[in-house]
């Protein structure tokens, strides 16, 4: 919550860059206003890029087409940072011809030329490590995923888990209609269930029955956002969005300097953990938030 | 105003009906209003309860997992609806309550409903108790809802005004109808009143018109009959009064005309007796005495007839004066002594007076008492006649001051009276029976005149008697008739 306040304070400064003279602008930031996580990411971008070196264009604004076109025609924007999936698709649609860094996008396409992804996905290994710190001794993990949306096969995920000392039960679920059935399959077989970001499976409609099912089966859910934790997940593991902004800005600077030889996809460097203490009490489990500096919702 | 009201039957009936109508309309209006308000309150409470119940259900999960954002969303959505003035979602587990107020909520009249938010009884197929921590309260929190009553208040006010308007209109229509109806109903009475005035002024020739065969019609018919009979009675009365006046005039004239020659007969018979005595003419004195006594008897009869006719015509004037009763009584006893002696009677007096002075008409008092004592002497043979005088003081009442009464009892041991005889004793020209008249003589006017005199003086005469054992006549007169007046 305090981070929101900081973001709000930074936002005017960030958007003020949009009116700076085009002569010094070398990075064009395309984002969508009104999304809390994007605002945090923008604050991170603003913290890394020197003042006056970037320009912000709101993809939801009425003058987006004009602003974007004029920014690209001036040939001053040598890198584009697209914040969010909508901004990325708009940038793709305009074929800017300059390198693009995408941030805050799930499952970026590895094979897409000219685009560097700072991925929103937290690797399973990182999640399991966080869980090991949060709830030591509970190594039976489960995951509900839509196979069509998943980047990795189940076997690979299992191998990654085993490497971290966990067993991983992967249940495929191709839609929200089968979500509870999938949840039921975990009863007595796993200690917790990871919920990867998937707006089809996990949304405002499905969360309540899912949380009730987890309470009934005494299987904690591990969500992918703070909002998910507030809505009833026992814990949440999610990226630090401001750091993601910083990370994407650093990638853009590397590209500008011609030093970018890394992988096209980068995972979040810094994650955050949150715990819903009320739900853990209902479940009868006790997490240790201290080692991972988890935010605790009471 | 009040005088008109008291004097007008239509006004009184109208006011009475209107008061009744107003009370009825007010009662019905109040009943309607009360019923409407009660239904409105019930509906309002029901809606508020239902909404609170709904919000409690909505908040249940958010309170269960501590989702404050969801609670904020629920509250914001709730206060966005018109009837919700405020919503307070209290989390029993210590978090600050979520409070949202609707626009302009402070001044809006509202009712407050509170609902507990309980843990869900079942989660999926399992009993909740199996997952609820032991000893933890089953209450998750409360929903406190302020539900606007503004719409209902407006509706209630509108309904009250409408009811009042209808009530006033109803009363107005009722009053107009009443006035018209009363006028129509009372019109025959008005005609009858006018006819009555004509009758009162002496015009008995016409008849009231019968408009309808209802109660007023029957009254008019009866009135017409009465007027007809009144006309006939008036004719008879006038004839009777004329005859009575003629009789009284005749009696007075005759009495007066008879007394003059009678006085002459008595006077000359006395003069002749004296002349015979002076000239020592024997043989005529006895006859002249008989003429004188017969004349005196005749004069007495004439005087009685004259008194009675004056009394009948209310022409007797009283002349009150103060005198001693005992002296009058002694005088009367002395007067009747010879008659008593002739019949072998003994006359005694009993005067129980501390104050013998009375204030009344001496002549009429003496006349009445003398008549009673003389009668006692006349109808008693070899018996006792007692005359007792006493004073009595009547008890004061609410209307009357205490009165001093002079009571004279004339008792005899004579022939007495039967109840039938007592009933007609004080009627004029009536004695106990025909044989009494034959045996004892007299006009039968004495007691009638005596009673009239006593009544004129404010008193009366009564009698107690038993046939063959004697009589007791009681004269009761105010001791001071001047004071009475």
């Amino acid at each position: 919550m305090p981070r929101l306040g900081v973001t709000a304070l930074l936002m005017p400064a960030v958007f003020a860059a949009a009116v700076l003279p085009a002569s010094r602008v070398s990075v064009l930031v395309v984002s969508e206003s009104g999304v809390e996580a994007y605002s945090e990411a923008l604050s991170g971008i603003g913290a890394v890029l020197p003042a006056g070196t970037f320009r912000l264009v709101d993809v939801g604004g009425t003058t987006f087409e004009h602003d974007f076109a004029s920014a690209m025609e001036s040939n001053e924007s040598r890198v584009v940072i697209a914040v969010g999936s909508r901004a990325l698709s708009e940038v793709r649609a305009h074929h800017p011809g300059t390198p693009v860094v995408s941030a805050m996008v799930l499952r970026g396409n590895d094979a897409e030329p000219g685009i560097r992804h700072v991925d929103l996905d937290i690797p399973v290994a990182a999640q399991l490590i966080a869980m090991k710190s949060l709830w030591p001794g509970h190594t039976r993990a489960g995951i509900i995923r839509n196979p069509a949306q998943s980047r990795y096969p189940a076997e690979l995920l299992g191998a990654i888990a085993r490497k971290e000392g966990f067993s991983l039960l992967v249940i495929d679920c191709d839609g929200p209609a089968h979500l509870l059935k999938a949840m039921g399959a975990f009863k007595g077989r796993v200690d917790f269930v990871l919920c990867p970001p998937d707006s089809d499976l996990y949304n405002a409609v499905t969360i309540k029955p899912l949380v009730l099912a987890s309470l009934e089966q005494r299987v904690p859910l591990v969500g992918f956002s703070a909002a998910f934790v507030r809505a009833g997940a026992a814990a949440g593991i999610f990226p630090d969005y401001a750091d993601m902004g910083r990370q994407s800005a650093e990638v853009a600077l590397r590209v500008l300097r011609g030093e970018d030889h890394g992988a096209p996809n980068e995972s979040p460097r810094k994650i955050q953990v949150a715990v819903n203490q009320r739900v853990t009490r209902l479940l009868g489990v006790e997490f240790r938030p201290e080692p991972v500096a988890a935010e605790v919702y009471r | 105003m009040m005088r008109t009201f008291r004097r007008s039957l239509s006004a009184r009936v109208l006011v009475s009906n209107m008061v009744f109508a107003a009370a009825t309309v007010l009662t019905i209006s109040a009943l309607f209003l009360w019923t409407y308000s009660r239904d409105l309150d019930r509906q309002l409470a029901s809606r508020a309860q239902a909404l609170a119940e709904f919000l409690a259900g909505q908040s249940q999960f958010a309170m269960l997992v501590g989702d404050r954002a969801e609670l904020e969303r629920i509250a914001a959505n709730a206060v966005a609806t018109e009837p919700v003035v405020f919503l307070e979602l209290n989390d029993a587990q210590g978090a600050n309550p979520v409070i949202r107020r609707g626009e302009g909520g402070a001044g809006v009249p509202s009712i407050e409903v509170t609902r507990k938010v309980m843990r869900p009884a079942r989660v999926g197929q399992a009993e909740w108790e199996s997952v609820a921590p032991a000893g933890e309260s089953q209450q998750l929190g409360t929903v406190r809802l302020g539900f606007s009553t503004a719409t209902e208040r407006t509706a209630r006010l509108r309904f009250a005004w409408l009811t009042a308007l209808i009530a006033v209109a109803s009363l107005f229509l009722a009053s107009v109808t009443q006035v018209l109806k009363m006028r129509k109903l009372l019109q025959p009475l008005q005609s009858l009143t006018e006819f009555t005035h004509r009758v009162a002024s002496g015009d008995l020739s016409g008849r009231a018109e019968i408009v309808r065969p209802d109660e007023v019609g029957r009254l008019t018919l009866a009135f017409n009959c009465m007027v007809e009979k009144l006309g006939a009675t008036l004719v008879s009365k006038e004839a009777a009064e004329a005859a009575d006046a003629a009789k009284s005039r005749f009696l007075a004239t005759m009495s007066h005309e008879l007394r003059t020659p009678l006085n002459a007969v008595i006077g000359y018979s006395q003069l002749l007796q004296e002349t015979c005595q002076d000239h020592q003419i024997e043989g005529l004195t006895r006859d002249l005495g008989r003429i004188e006594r017969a004349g005196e008897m005749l004069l007495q009869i004439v005087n009685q007839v004259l008194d009675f006719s004056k009394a009948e015509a209310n022409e007797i004037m009283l002349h009150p004066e103060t005198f001693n009763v005992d002296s009058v009584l002694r005088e009367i006893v002395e007067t009747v002594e010879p008659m008593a002696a002739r019949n072998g009677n003994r006359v005694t007096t009993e005067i129980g007076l501390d104050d013998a002075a009375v204030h009344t008409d001496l002549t009429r008092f003496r006349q009445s008492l003398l008549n009673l004592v003389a009668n006692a002497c006349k109808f008693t043979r070899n018996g006792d006649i007692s005359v007792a005088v006493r004073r009595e003081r009547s008890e004061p009442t609410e209307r009357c001051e205490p009165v001093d009464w002079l009571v004279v009892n004339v008792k005899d041991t004579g022939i007495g009276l039967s109840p039938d005889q007592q009933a007609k004793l004080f009627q004029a020209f009536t004695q106990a029976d025909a044989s009494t008249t034959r045996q004892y003589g007299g006009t039968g006017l004495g007691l009638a005149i005596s009673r009239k005199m006593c009544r004129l003086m404010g008193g009366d005469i009564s009698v107690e008697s038993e046939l063959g054992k004697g009589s007791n006549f009681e004269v009761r007169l105010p001791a001071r008739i001047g004071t009475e007046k």
Side-chain angles (χ1 to χ4, degrees):
Chain A
M1 277 297 170
R3 199 161 49 233
L4 278 176
V6 173
T7 306
L9 287 171
L10 286 172
M11 282 304 291
V14 170
F15 278 94
V19 295
L20 288 174
S23 58
R24 294 178 59 203
V25 172
S26 52
V27 179
L28 179 65
V29 181
V30 180
S31 184
E32 182 180 359
S33 59
V35 180
E36 184 186 328
Y38 296 169
S39 301
E40 288 186 38
L42 288 176
S43 68
I45 292 170
V48 172
L49 295 179
T53 61
F54 69 97
R55 183 176 182 182
L56 181 63
V57 175
D58 185 4
V59 75
T62 54
T63 59
F64 168 71
E65 295 289 340
H66 174 264
D67 292 346
F68 187 79
S70 64
M72 296 313 295
E73 284 166 7
S74 67
N75 291 324
E76 293 294 332
S77 300
R78 291 156 50 203
V79 176
V80 176
I81 299 177
V83 180
S85 53
R86 185 180 172 189
L88 180 59
S89 64
E90 289 289 342
V91 169
R92 276 184 187 138
H94 286 81
H95 305 291
T98 52
V100 175
V101 178
S102 85
M104 307 291 287
V105 177
L106 283 170
R107 290 175 288 280
N109 190 342
D110 295 340
E112 201 169 0
I115 299 181
R116 306 288 184 275
H117 294 285
V118 178
D119 216 344
L120 199 57
D121 285 337
I122 298 173
V124 172
Q127 293 185 53
L128 292 173
I129 290 166
M131 283 306 295
K132 192 183 287 182
S133 301
L134 189 66
W135 202 18
H138 294 82
T139 57
R140 294 185 304 163
I143 188 166
I144 302 175
R145 60 161 198 174
N146 186 342
Q149 300 288 325
S150 183
R151 183 185 293 176
Y152 307 110
E155 293 76 19
L156 179 57
L157 291 174
I160 293 170
R162 275 193 300 278
K163 190 178 175 187
E164 299 298 335
F166 283 83
S167 65
L168 183 65
L169 177 58
V170 179
I171 300 291
D172 288 336
C173 177
D174 55 4
H178 305 109
L179 192 60
L180 291 181
K181 187 181 173 187
M183 188 68 196
F186 289 121
K187 189 171 185 181
R189 298 170 67 187
V190 298
D191 295 324
F192 58 90
V193 173
L194 296 173
C195 300
D198 186 335
S199 58
D200 287 340
L201 288 183
Y202 309 110
N203 53 47
V205 176
T206 58
I207 277 181
K208 184 176 173 182
L210 190 66
V211 169
L212 288 174
S214 89
L215 291 174
E216 182 183 331
Q217 294 166 29
R218 297 202 176 187
V219 177
L221 292 176
V222 180
F224 55 80
S225 69
F228 200 161
V229 179
R230 282 195 292 266
I237 300 170
F238 43 91
D240 183 328
Y241 301 124
D243 190 66
M244 280 195 78
R246 282 192 294 271
Q247 191 175 348
S248 58
E250 285 166 12
V251 171
L253 287 176
R254 282 203 304 271
V255 170
L256 282 173
R257 288 195 295 262
E259 297 170 357
D260 181 44
H261 304 296
N265 281 12
E266 288 187 21
S267 293
R269 294 179 306 194
K270 191 174 177 183
I271 60 172
Q272 290 183 312
V273 178
V275 172
N276 188 328
Q277 202 172 49
R278 195 173 293 187
V279 174
T280 58
R281 198 165 65 246
L282 288 170
L283 287 166
V285 301
E286 197 166 345
F287 289 158
R288 291 170 52 202
E290 297 84 8
V292 288
E295 189 172 355
V296 178
Y297 304 133
R298 298 177 193 283
Chain B
M1 185 73 179
M2 283 304 291
R3 194 175 173 186
T4 307
F5 173 74
R6 283 179 183 155
R7 292 177 64 176
S8 169
L9 177 64
S10 60
R12 292 167 72 173
V13 172
L14 186 64
V15 168
S16 171
N17 285 351
M18 290 314 297
V19 166
F20 179 73
T24 307
V25 167
L26 279 178
T27 306
I28 292 172
S29 301
L31 195 65
F32 269 132
L33 210 57
W34 176 75
T35 310
Y36 179 76
S37 291
R38 190 195 55 183
D39 290 348
L40 215 57
D41 287 342
R42 283 181 180 171
Q43 285 174 16
L44 188 72
S46 174
R47 284 173 57 204
Q49 296 280 3
L51 185 58
E53 198 73 48
F54 172 73
L55 291 171
Q58 271 206 321
S59 308
Q60 187 185 47
F61 182 74
M63 285 185 181
L64 182 72
V65 301
D67 190 352
R68 188 177 174 86
E70 178 65 7
L71 293 178
E72 298 268 6
R73 190 188 64 79
I74 291 169
N77 286 342
V79 296
T81 59
E82 189 184 347
V84 178
V85 177
F86 71 85
L87 181 66
E88 184 178 312
L89 302 173
N90 281 295
D91 191 337
Q93 295 182 59
N96 287 334
V98 174
I99 302 173
R100 286 285 180 279
R101 291 199 171 274
E103 286 180 13
V108 178
S110 61
I111 58 168
E112 207 174 289
V113 180
T114 303
R115 269 277 168 280
K116 289 180 182 175
V117 181
M118 306 303 291
R119 291 180 184 280
R122 295 171 70 88
V123 180
Q125 295 301 311
E127 291 294 329
W128 171 255
E129 284 74 15
S130 64
V131 292
E136 196 150 309
S137 168
Q138 294 300 304
Q139 184 176 338
L140 294 173
T142 55
V143 171
R144 199 163 71 90
L145 171 71
F147 198 83
S148 169
T149 59
T151 309
E152 285 72 16
R153 192 186 225 188
T154 308
R156 203 188 312 259
L157 202 62
R158 196 185 304 123
F159 188 79
W161 275 111
L162 190 66
T163 307
L165 195 67
I166 291 172
V168 169
S170 303
L171 282 176
F172 178 73
L173 279 177
S175 61
V176 169
T177 310
Q178 278 289 317
V179 167
L180 295 176
K181 193 74 183 168
M182 285 303 296
R183 276 187 187 169
K184 194 174 179 183
L185 276 174
L186 293 177
Q187 193 273 330
L189 275 180
Q190 186 64 34
S191 302
L192 190 59
T193 306
E194 289 169 7
F195 176 65
T196 309
H197 287 150
R198 287 208 306 277
V199 170
S201 65
D203 179 10
L204 300 178
S205 58
R207 292 293 177 266
E209 183 190 0
I210 298 172
V211 180
R212 290 185 299 271
D214 56 4
E215 286 84 351
V216 180
R218 287 197 288 277
L219 173 67
T220 310
L221 184 65
F223 195 78
N224 283 341
C225 291
M226 185 189 76
V227 169
E228 272 184 26
K229 287 185 179 175
L230 182 63
T233 307
L234 278 177
V235 171
S236 303
K237 180 173 173 279
E238 283 170 3
E241 282 177 352
D244 198 45
K247 182 194 79 176
S248 295
R249 276 199 307 276
F250 170 76
L251 285 175
T253 306
M254 285 304 295
S255 300
H256 180 72
E257 294 301 324
L258 285 171
R259 282 196 333 169
T260 306
L262 268 176
N263 281 327
V265 168
I266 292 167
Y268 278 108
S269 63
Q270 288 174 344
L271 185 64
L272 284 173
Q273 282 182 75
E274 287 173 6
T275 305
C276 287
Q277 282 175 358
D278 290 345
H279 294 83
Q280 294 179 344
I281 300 169
E282 297 293 332
L284 289 176
T285 309
R286 190 177 171 188
D287 293 335
L288 288 171
R290 285 176 179 162
I291 291 168
E292 183 192 351
R293 283 196 297 279
E296 284 177 345
M297 282 181 64
L298 193 55
L299 181 62
Q300 187 184 1
I301 291 168
V302 169
N303 282 339
Q304 281 187 343
V305 170
L306 186 60
D307 281 345
F308 182 75
S309 63
K310 279 184 177 177
E312 282 285 289
N314 289 324
E315 289 178 357
I316 291 178
M317 296 293 291
L318 293 180
H319 302 285
E321 58 185 296
T322 302
F323 58 89
N324 281 331
V325 176
D326 48 359
S327 60
V328 175
L329 201 59
R330 276 195 295 277
E331 185 186 325
I332 289 169
V333 170
E334 284 172 7
T335 305
V336 299
E337 197 69 56
M339 189 193 295
R342 274 200 303 273
N343 290 340
N345 296 324
R346 191 164 60 94
V347 181
T348 58
T349 57
E350 185 182 334
I351 301 172
L353 296 173
D354 295 332
D355 180 10
V358 293
H359 185 80
T360 186
D361 190 317
L362 172 61
T363 306
R364 302 302 174 189
F365 175 72
R366 183 163 52 201
Q367 182 183 357
S368 302
L369 198 56
L370 178 60
N371 185 45
L372 290 179
V373 178
N375 276 352
C377 293
K378 189 164 78 175
F379 296 109
T380 304
R381 292 281 189 272
N382 301 317
D384 291 321
I385 292 132
S386 70
V387 183
V389 184
R390 69 179 193 280
R391 293 183 89 133
E392 277 185 10
R393 188 170 178 81
S394 67
E395 291 298 321
T397 63
E398 286 183 3
R399 292 185 177 182
C400 299
E401 292 291 317
V403 178
D404 272 333
W405 292 95
L406 181 70
V407 183
V408 183
N409 286 88
V410 180
K411 289 184 183 175
D412 63 59
T413 56
I415 58 176
L417 296 162
S418 67
D420 290 342
Q421 290 170 339
Q422 289 175 38
K424 54 188 179 182
L425 189 64
F426 293 101
Q427 293 175 10
F429 304 108
T430 302
Q431 284 192 333
D433 53 34
S435 62
T436 308
T437 308
R438 283 194 301 275
Q439 188 176 352
Y440 297 100
T443 59
L445 283 172
L447 283 176
I449 292 170
S450 295
R451 172 172 267 187
K452 279 192 176 293
M453 297 303 169
C454 286
R455 287 184 175 177
L456 274 173
M457 289 185 283
D460 204 353
I461 298 177
S462 59
V463 63
E464 288 177 359
S465 181
E466 195 175 344
L467 193 61
K469 290 189 176 176
S471 304
N472 176 15
F473 286 84
E474 183 176 281
V475 176
R476 179 176 285 266
L477 294 171
R480 293 185 180 276
I481 59 173
T483 316
E484 272 302 289
K485 285 178 181 177

